[in-house]
Amino acid sequence: MRKNYNFSAGPAILPEEVLLTAQAEMLDWNGTGCSIMELGHRGPEFQAIAAQAEADLRELMSIPDHYRVFFLPGGATAQFAMVPINLLAQNNKADYLVTGLWSKKAQTEAARYGCIHVAAEAFEHEGRLSIPDPSQWSLTKDAAYVHYTPNETIAGLEFQSVPQTGGVPLVADMTSMILSRPVNVNDYGLIYAGAQKNLGQAGITIVIIRDDLIQEPLARTPTLYHYQLHREHQSFYNTPPTYSWYITGLVLAWMKKQGGVAALYEANLRKAKLVYDVLDQFPEFYLPRVERQYRSIMNVTFNLQNADLTEAFFAAAKERGLIHLQGHRVSGGIRASMYNAFPEEGALALATMMTEFAHEYAQSTREARKVAK
Ligand SMILES: *Cc1c(COP(=O)(O)O)cnc(C)c1O
């Protein structure tokens, strides 16, 4: 058993059971006498793993038959380019909802390939991040697609409903929330997600795309960036990241055992509530970063009203095995990432520590005031 709770935003915690299985199978996968990472990607062993992972993902997300699923290298960042390269050949206009660093990066990359319009931007109101009401978005009627990031990982800003686009295909970067809550795949033209947050190990990215959106890409773009090619070769045009694919397969099987997305969602809500409740209980001590209605259930972000105590907070957390709570290098502050694999006991341990830390601080300020008098 591990002795700490890892709140890392990504690469993130994996289910212990998955790591133990990977360990047990490391030297000899299923009687082959080889590690799975030593077996050919076109051999029957790896082909079976690949097919099972896709079948499990399709089952967990109820992916309809007219959607293709790809397992690709390059991270979500490669999709920032692949999406416009493949979807802007016929119509070069697209809308982006920019609600944080990742959607900004996606928009900046897309602008190299087409006419990209920012239809809405997150804003700060009384120190809290928020998303404009949809009535204020300026969507383009004849755009090729609308891109958004359902959960902005760095700020912990999460859409609580699916943007309405009037029939324009919706593209979603689900890297930090895929399988954390139920989604209706039919609402989307394309979904992509890097694996290292909710899905497995870095190195592999899932793309779920409606078949009719796969078209001739822009001219003179790298072969490996064509969705058409990946459909034709079922993600096996060249050597895929086999070990990452295998780990993702183990995570998907683990998710099924947990009761699927509905059960994971319930657990995720409970975990997030434990921590948000403490933030709300001590408003004079903790400062949540995000407006209540857009609070992420994956990445809880906050500052201390007295920022000088931040290092003491990390030290107190570490003493209890609560690690990697540091906010992203661009935003600072505190961020507790609690993806699917993060255990509920860890959320409870953090909430308890935060309550005690706030009490302890309140007492020491009272004493300091007394001394000052
Ligand atoms: C982490 C993250 C990315 C970056 O993924 P890479 O695999 O490093 O390219 C992109 N989008 C979101 C929403 C993320 O959380």
Side-chain angles (χ1 to χ4, degrees):
M1 284 296 278
R2 289 194 284 189
K3 291 194 186 66
N4 58 41
Y5 293 111
N6 176 7
F7 291 87
S8 172
I13 193 169
L14 285 162
E16 191 160 285
E17 213 180 299
V18 164
L19 294 175
L20 290 171
T21 303
Q23 181 186 46
E25 295 180 344
M26 180 60 77
L27 296 183
D28 180 7
W29 187 81
N30 214 7
T32 54
C34 301
S35 169
I36 193 67
M37 70 175 95
E38 300 172 306
L39 291 171
H41 55 296
R42 299 187 198 280
E45 298 89 355
F46 189 73
Q47 287 290 319
I49 284 177
Q52 188 62 50
E54 178 173 337
D56 286 345
L57 181 70
R58 282 185 175 275
E59 183 183 328
L60 282 162
M61 292 183 77
S62 308
I63 301 174
D65 288 344
H66 61 295
Y67 283 76
R68 298 291 126 243
V69 176
F70 305 136
F71 290 78
L72 304 178
T77 303
Q79 296 310 311
F80 295 168
M82 282 180 80
V83 166
I85 282 172
N86 286 275
L87 301 189
L88 291 182
Q90 265 87 53
N91 165 2
N92 75 345
K93 286 183 297 205
D95 285 343
Y96 276 67
L97 307 180
V98 175
T99 52
L101 190 101
W102 294 118
S103 42
K104 182 74 198 158
K105 283 194 169 178
Q107 178 242 326
T108 306
E109 182 70 9
R112 302 179 64 216
Y113 301 100
C115 295
I116 302 304
H117 169 66
V118 176
E121 262 183 293
F123 63 97
E124 208 167 299
H125 175 67
E126 291 173 355
R128 307 235 164 129
L129 283 166
S130 191
I131 299 172
D133 187 80
S135 63
Q136 283 161 24
W137 301 357
S138 61
L139 293 172
T140 313
K141 273 198 187 63
D142 58 344
Y145 64 87
V146 177
H147 179 285
Y148 86 119
T149 306
N151 182 56
E152 275 286 357
T153 324
I154 292 173
L157 184 70
E158 186 164 19
F159 284 79
Q160 302 300 329
S161 60
V162 181
Q164 298 303 305
T165 59
V168 174
L170 187 58
V171 175
D173 173 1
M174 292 198 181
T175 299
S176 55
M177 55 68 76
I178 193 164
L179 293 158
S180 69
R181 60 168 72 211
V183 301
N184 180 357
V185 174
N186 282 303
D187 290 339
Y188 298 89
L190 192 157
I191 291 167
Y192 63 90
Q196 69 272 23
K197 285 155 191 160
N198 259 312
L199 212 52
Q201 189 197 351
I204 200 145
T205 305
I206 306 284
V207 175
I208 302 165
I209 181 170
R210 213 174 67 205
D211 220 9
D212 62 289
L213 293 175
I214 304 177
Q215 304 156 358
E216 191 67 35
L218 293 174
R220 295 173 61 97
T221 53
T223 308
L224 199 61
Y225 273 27
H226 296 194
Y227 291 141
Q228 271 184 339
L229 176 98
H230 295 301
R231 175 168 59 186
E232 191 183 330
H233 295 272
Q234 294 172 10
S235 312
F236 282 90
Y237 176 72
N238 67 335
T239 316
T242 52
Y243 199 74
S244 301
W245 196 328
Y246 156 78
I247 293 288
T248 292
L250 294 181
V251 173
L252 291 166
W254 173 85
M255 286 177 178
K256 278 173 57 179
K257 251 173 74 180
Q258 304 310 300
V261 176
L264 292 167
Y265 178 50
E266 290 303 318
N268 289 332
L269 286 175
R270 287 194 296 270
K271 289 184 280 181
K273 184 173 187 310
L274 279 168
V275 181
Y276 282 121
D277 278 353
V278 179
L279 298 184
D280 292 337
Q281 208 183 327
F282 298 98
E284 70 295 340
F285 191 73
Y286 294 113
L287 247 181
R289 284 287 292 132
V290 172
E291 199 66 62
R292 187 178 298 269
Q293 74 185 108
Y294 299 111
R295 285 175 171 180
S296 169
I297 59 167
M298 296 279 92
N299 313 97
V300 179
T301 58
F302 55 98
N303 290 310
L304 301 182
Q305 296 276 12
N306 177 358
D308 293 345
L309 290 174
T310 308
E311 286 311 314
F313 180 92
F314 292 138
K318 194 167 177 200
E319 222 164 80
R320 303 181 188 207
L322 309 171
I323 58 173
H324 302 308
L325 282 159
Q326 285 76 6
H328 189 273
R329 61 195 149 78
V330 304
S331 60
I334 298 157
R335 173 174 54 172
S337 297
M338 298 182 287
Y339 303 114
N340 285 332
F342 191 87
E344 288 191 58
E345 312 87 75
L348 183 60
L350 177 63
T352 307
M353 174 264 158
M354 286 169 63
T355 304
E356 291 175 12
F357 193 77
H359 279 310
E360 196 180 304
Y361 168 79
Q363 192 172 351
S364 66
T365 24
R366 270 197 301 275
E367 277 159 17
R369 277 200 203 110
K370 255 187 233 159
V371 172
K373 272 181 200 162

